[in-house]
Amino acid sequence: MRDALVAAALRLFDERGFEQTTVDDIVALAGVGRRSFFRYFPSKESVVFPDHDGCLAEMNAFLADPAGAAEDPVERAGAAARLVLRMYAADPVFSVRRYRLTREVPALRAHELSAVWRYERALADYLRSRYAHRPDGRLRADVVAAAVVAAHNNALRSWLRSGAERDPEASVTEALAYVVATWGDQAPVPAGPTARGEEADGADGAEEVREGEEVVVLVARRGTPMWRVVDEIQAALSAT
Amino acid sequence: MRDALVAAALRLFDERGFEQTTVDDIVALAGVGRRSFFRYFPSKESVVFPDHDGCLAEMNAFLADPAGAAEDPVERAGAAARLVLRMYAADPVFSVRRYRLTREVPALRAHELSAVWRYERALADYLRSRYAHRPDGRLRADVVAAAVVAAHNNALRSWLRSGAERDPEASVTEALAYVVATWGDQAPVPAGPTARGEEADGADGAEEVREGEEVVVLVARRGTPMWRVVDEIQAALSAT
């Protein structure tokens, strides 16, 4: 019955437009009562997004699984975001119709933004717990969650725009790898504003060595004397 | 009259609740006609966010100004985002009331998400044009725009949660600097998935030297032989 309601709603939204269709029209076409509609969907908007609540629950369960604790936090968040991709990819024809409708109807756009926001909050909450030991933990969690969602949606939307014909997994993998390369545990550590440009610490060229878990990142102003660079990097490479 | 409508609406939303207040109630309290309301505001939600349209127009004008073309794209996007902060900071008491109301009323939350989305699209469009020469330009633009918005909002929301008593500029500056340090022109270039961990290019430890405009960034696996590091960095520091 749920599927019949979704199919009837989409057909009417396509034919008459979203605003011109009432819940009564939908239940009449689906051949069910009005109360049945509201048993499944809180609003006319939500019938267009029947699977977001289930997908969010699945994402939260995935993120709560202790098996993920050993994984890079950004990779884990990316894997969680892929659950959304799989939901879209499970029914490409429906996903493309919805994408076109959502671009045209502000009420649906607003509903979709709420769904995206809930996913982003789930990822940010997860990352806040993974980054709880970092002084910049909350900020980093919010920024990385937004970056994961933006990368995922960039690839998802390209796929939907193109008519969802090829397999979307590869382009989402590539987009998420971009975020992991920047923010993952093995990414280079940003130099931070104090090591940049004019504010750098010394007239003879600034250098700074920061340490990740397995890599050492050295940021040096061009023209820094070689002996200073070697000193710094030797200290960093031998540190444990 | 516009200000009187906003004041009347906020007072009624606080006293009776958003859902229980009608546009008729608002115009009655403000002492104006119903048509005056809709001359200023398209909906009951939008009266709570009277300045977003103006701020978005200001942001677009700022981003279109050719004077910004010489600036780091991420710094410029961050400076554009600060226009939103300044709008909030211009009236802290109103901003805190609205923040509390928005957290409680789903319709206002949805309206706010739409506003955030429009700012993020403006920043992403700007960054797409600045990154037009890059093969990863569209993806990078979307990710950086999301990161700028997330960092800005992290600081903005902390300030609103705390009652908006101190000056918010410093914490927003710090949050945006975090994104500039990661994605700005002078940030270290991420090593990319192929240079990370087990996939790195060589059993004796991977190293890689990339060049920014004024700084040289070296990323080396811990344990890399010193002679290889010196070779690479010497080549990079002497390059022009």
Side-chain angles (χ1 to χ4, degrees), chain A residues 5 12 53 56 59 63 65 68 77 81-82 96 113 118 123 131 134-135 138 162 165 188 196 207 221-222 229-230 235:
Chain A
L5 285 165
L12 291 169
D53 287 344
L56 183 65
M59 181 184 284
L63 292 171
D65 185 344
R82 299 179 82 104
V96 170
L113 289 173
R118 290 188 298 156
L123 297 176
Y131 295 149
R134 298 179 61 115
R138 291 171 68 91
S162 75
E165 279 166 9
R196 288 173 37 244
E207 67 244 29
R221 191 108 66 97
R222 204 184 294 288
V229 177
V230 172

Side-chain angles (χ1 to χ4, degrees), chain A residues 210-240:
Chain A
R210 307 254 189 141
E211 299 164 42
E213 287 177 339
E214 292 188 10
V215 297
V216 173
V217 178
L218 175 110
V219 181
R221 191 108 66 97
R222 204 184 294 288
T224 303
M226 197 59 202
W227 63 268
R228 283 201 61 176
V229 177
V230 172
D231 267 9
E232 294 273 354
I233 207 161
Q234 200 136 35
L237 283 171
S238 60
T240 48

Side-chain angles (χ1 to χ4, degrees), chain A residues 70-134:
Chain A
E71 209 178 324
D72 181 302
V74 186
E75 299 224 30
R76 189 75 182 168
R82 299 179 82 104
L83 297 171
V84 181
L85 171 75
R86 300 224 171 98
M87 176 188 73
Y88 279 76
D91 193 345
V93 175
F94 176 71
S95 295
V96 170
R97 279 175 78 188
R98 170 167 64 190
Y99 174 71
R100 290 176 183 157
L101 203 55
T102 302
R103 295 186 69 176
E104 285 161 17
V105 182
L108 295 179
R109 161 66 72 192
H111 198 92
E112 187 185 63
L113 289 173
S114 294
V116 172
W117 179 76
R118 290 188 298 156
Y119 291 125
E120 189 170 319
R121 288 320 313 157
L123 297 176
D125 286 345
Y126 170 73
L127 290 167
R128 283 180 179 204
S129 73
R130 293 293 305 267
Y131 295 149
H133 60 289
R134 298 179 61 115

